[in-house]
Amino acid sequence: MKICFTLGLGFLSSFLISVYGQNKELIESIKKGKDIYQDFCITCHMGNGEGLTGSFPPLAKSDYLINNRAKSIKAIKYGLQGEIIVNGKTYNSIMANLGLADDEIADIMNYITNSWGNKNDDIVTEKEVSEIKK
Amino acid sequence: MKKLMIIPLITIALSACAQQTESSVKAEDPQNISYTTELVVPDMSIPWGMDFLPDGSMLITEKSGELVHFKNGIKTNISGVPEVYNRGQGGLLDIKLHPDYENNGWIYMTYASSEGEGTGGNTALMRTKLSGNSLTNQEVLYKAAPNTTKGQHFGSRIAFDNDGYLYFSAGERGEHFVNPQDLTRDNGKIYRLYDDGRIPEDNPFVNEPNAKKAIYSYGHRNPQGLIKNPETGAIWEHEHGPQGGDEINIIQKGKNYGWPVISYGIDYDNSIITELTSKEGMEQPLFYWVPSIAPSGLAMVTSNKYPDWKGNLLVGSLKFAYLERLVLENNKVVKRIKLFEGLGRVRNVVQAPDGYIYVGVEGKGIYKIIPN
């Protein structure tokens, strides 16, 4: 009984530590991501992630971003060209390869997936970005 | 009670300031257009700059750092291109042949470079010669400093005037409160040099202590259009504003073009950068765009191939994916026409020596505008 209790407490605390730890990491990453967003992304995707209908797809409540985690990372990492459908609207333009480092891409992903009504607790890490190939 | 009243008043005052004054002339759809586009150089990514060799072949810069020679339908990559800092808006930018290229062979390029102290990059100007499929005799004529990892506002375009001076632009590198108004710092400037990189003795700030002596005009944000007006010989420029406030300016010696003290634009998050649109000692633009079109590339039509467009300006719109034609009367924009809507992100427009207009479009390539 005592062992069960100790074990249970152990699991609980390690669970709490990992959730809290990730949360802290996520909050840090979102903060950094916001700065990078203002440097590299805001001119097209705009201040509230609203984009510009017909030219630049929205990030705010974007079904593409929410449902295509790997593709979204790939787009930031290598650029994107050709037709995509976002929230029912077709976009056919080009986003340049931005020359960002993997950790910066992770930060931007964490920022844009947790802003303007978007929510994503599952942190994007530098390692995850590094594993996305062209 | 008094305090409580102040809050709504402030809110009203702020929102009133956020109201931007739209451009005096709106862009119209074309009535009947007697020209069409033909894709002559396909499969390009971001064809940033282009110029034409005496044999009619094309040199095209790709932002990622390749220089493409397009001749008789074949693309050849030129070696010896400087290493570029390809990050954000930086990369290989403009290219321009010396007005006397046939005799001296000089080619000029601007690019984002990591040379010098500090991490990151900043705008550089190089001259070089083309020998076979290689660049030789590379000389870096100017390198803006300091380097920064910020992604924005490198400029850059190159132009020559009738007196042999070279002009090029460098944007303010995302530091609008630091660079454009400070003559001791690079960035947010138009520079003037001799064609070999020497600083002209009569540049406006040569006697200003600690000033960057190559500066010709200042208070710029991000100029990506710079030409010699072929009719008057004056240097014409356009630059990106923030949200709203793109401008066309005639560049004059020593003048302050106001950024960020005066602007017709606001920030991307709708916050106010400045409430002033004019101030003594600062130049008013010849024209401003609200909303922004995100202008890149500038040409003035003089060729007989386009009689309907003679004397008009052509400006690429990165934002709305069309080519804008602006009709001028006495240095005032009186009409704006959207040409080829849906063409793509227009990065560049040039009137070639053969009289035709060529347009660089991102993700597509180079289009030639031909009469129907």
Side-chain angles (χ1 to χ4, degrees):
Chain A
M1 183 66 189
K2 210 177 176 181
I3 289 171
C4 271
F5 180 74
T6 317
L7 268 180
L9 199 67
F11 277 129
L12 188 67
S13 58
S14 62
F15 173 73
L16 281 175
I17 286 164
S18 74
V19 166
Y20 178 72
Q22 187 175 7
N23 237 333
K24 205 176 146 197
E25 208 180 308
L26 182 60
I27 290 164
E28 285 286 303
S29 176
I30 290 170
K31 212 175 125 198
K32 282 188 273 173
K34 186 178 180 180
D35 285 344
I36 304 167
Y37 181 85
Q38 289 179 340
D39 236 29
F40 289 85
C41 320
I42 200 167
T43 50
C44 297
H45 293 291
M46 306 305 289
N48 294 309
E50 70 269 35
L52 179 75
T53 307
S55 295
F56 312 122
L59 304 171
K61 302 194 178 87
S62 153
D63 58 355
Y64 186 94
L65 175 64
I66 293 156
N67 300 328
N68 299 285
R69 179 175 167 123
K71 270 192 193 168
S72 299
I73 297 171
K74 192 172 162 183
I76 304 172
K77 192 169 175 177
Y78 300 107
L80 180 65
Q81 189 176 347
E83 202 173 285
I84 61 166
I85 296 168
V86 183
N87 296 350
K89 293 207 168 68
T90 303
Y91 293 84
N92 191 353
S93 190
I94 177 169
M95 176 166 110
N97 177 341
L98 296 157
L100 294 161
D102 289 349
D103 62 324
E104 294 175 310
I105 293 166
D107 293 338
I108 288 177
M109 274 299 286
N110 289 322
Y111 173 65
I112 63 178
T113 56
N114 285 291
S115 297
W116 321 300
N118 299 341
K119 185 82 194 122
N120 168 40
D121 292 328
D122 183 10
I123 186 167
V124 177
T125 62
E126 184 179 351
K127 181 167 178 286
E128 180 180 349
V129 175
S130 73
E131 284 160 2
I132 303 269
K133 301 289 174 225
K134 209 165 184 171
Chain B
M1 185 60 196
K2 236 180 178 175
K3 266 189 185 161
L4 280 177
M5 289 288 291
I6 288 172
I7 296 169
L9 277 179
I10 290 173
T11 319
I12 291 165
L14 282 177
S15 56
C17 291
Q19 293 292 321
Q20 291 179 278
T21 315
E22 282 206 14
S23 301
S24 51
V25 182
K26 311 263 177 294
E28 304 165 23
D29 291 319
Q31 294 296 323
N32 39 35
I33 171 164
S34 33
Y35 307 99
T36 185
T37 57
E38 183 193 20
L39 184 62
V40 289
V41 187
D43 305 316
M44 306 277 315
S45 181
I46 303 183
W48 222 99
M50 66 179 132
D51 208 349
F52 297 80
L53 290 164
D55 65 2
S57 65
M58 256 184 250
L59 287 172
I60 310 160
T61 56
E62 277 274 16
K63 178 182 170 291
S64 54
E66 289 97 55
L67 178 61
V68 176
H69 184 199
F70 183 77
K71 189 175 177 177
N72 303 326
I74 295 164
K75 278 190 233 164
T76 308
N77 272 357
I78 300 299
S79 64
V81 179
E83 197 174 320
V84 304
Y85 182 65
N86 185 27
R87 179 173 154 103
Q89 297 165 7
L92 187 54
L93 304 172
D94 206 17
I95 184 162
K96 189 93 189 156
L97 267 56
H98 192 287
D100 195 24
Y101 177 83
E102 292 207 42
N103 291 314
N104 63 28
W106 287 116
I107 296 168
Y108 295 76
M109 293 194 291
T110 48
Y111 57 104
S113 159
S114 316
E115 253 184 56
E117 275 179 41
T119 49
N122 211 328
T123 307
L125 170 74
M126 168 181 278
R127 73 169 178 176
T128 178
K129 292 186 175 185
L130 180 66
S131 165
N133 293 327
S134 306
L135 295 181
T136 60
N137 300 74
Q138 292 97 333
E139 295 174 17
V140 179
L141 302 183
Y142 201 87
K143 166 69 186 27
N147 289 333
T148 151
T149 55
K150 277 189 169 278
Q152 314 97 317
H153 308 165
F154 293 83
S156 164
R157 296 279 176 200
I158 308 165
F160 286 90
D161 71 5
N162 288 330
D163 302 319
Y165 294 111
L166 177 161
Y167 301 77
F168 75 99
S169 62
E172 37 83 310
R173 296 295 283 110
E175 293 284 4
H176 54 255
F177 292 126
V178 180
N179 289 328
Q181 292 294 322
D182 188 344
L183 293 170
T184 69
R185 296 182 66 89
D186 281 314
N187 300 108
K189 312 286 164 28
I190 308 282
Y191 299 89
R192 183 177 76 160
L193 298 172
Y194 285 123
D195 60 0
D196 60 359
R198 280 178 304 120
I199 290 168
E201 300 76 9
D202 61 341
N203 260 13
F205 304 111
V206 284
N207 297 320
E208 196 93 4
N210 303 319
K212 302 276 179 188
K213 314 293 186 207
I215 295 172
Y216 190 72
S217 66
Y218 64 110
H220 299 286
R221 187 171 178 274
N222 192 26
Q224 295 190 333
L226 194 70
I227 57 166
K228 177 186 76 181
N229 179 324
E231 290 173 352
T232 64
I235 298 296
W236 284 42
E237 173 252 27
H238 66 54
E239 64 185 66
H240 295 270
Q243 193 181 162
D246 303 341
E247 297 180 352
I248 300 175
N249 294 298
I250 300 175
I251 298 304
Q252 299 175 73
K253 185 174 175 177
K255 293 284 168 75
N256 181 354
Y257 289 82
W259 176 252
V261 182
I262 58 171
S263 175
Y264 288 90
I266 58 173
D267 217 343
Y268 294 101
D269 58 5
N270 296 325
S271 66
I272 309 296
I273 298 162
T274 174
E275 302 203 356
L276 300 181
T277 52
S278 66
K279 192 173 179 181
E280 216 187 312
M282 296 184 185
E283 299 307 300
Q284 281 295 304
L286 179 139
F287 181 74
Y288 70 85
W289 283 277
V290 172
S292 289
I293 65 162
S296 188
L298 174 62
M300 181 176 267
V301 185
T302 56
S303 145
N304 293 325
K305 304 266 197 267
Y306 311 92
D308 320 356
W309 295 355
K310 228 170 190 178
N312 295 175
L313 292 179
L314 297 176
V315 176
S317 169
L318 291 165
K319 186 167 171 188
F320 296 118
Y322 67 72
L323 183 68
E324 184 160 309
R325 176 164 76 87
L326 300 106
V327 181
L328 298 164
E329 266 172 27
N330 304 319
N331 277 359
K332 278 208 161 56
V333 171
V334 294
K335 208 176 168 76
R336 298 166 55 199
I337 313 285
K338 299 182 220 175
L339 300 175
F340 314 120
E341 241 186 317
L343 188 63
R345 280 169 62 81
V346 179
R347 175 52 74 182
N348 193 17
V349 53
V350 171
Q351 182 180 291
D354 67 4
Y356 283 103
I357 290 157
Y358 293 83
V359 183
V361 180
E362 296 191 3
K364 309 269 181 67
I366 308 295
Y367 288 87
K368 181 177 178 179
I369 301 181
I370 43 176
N372 275 343

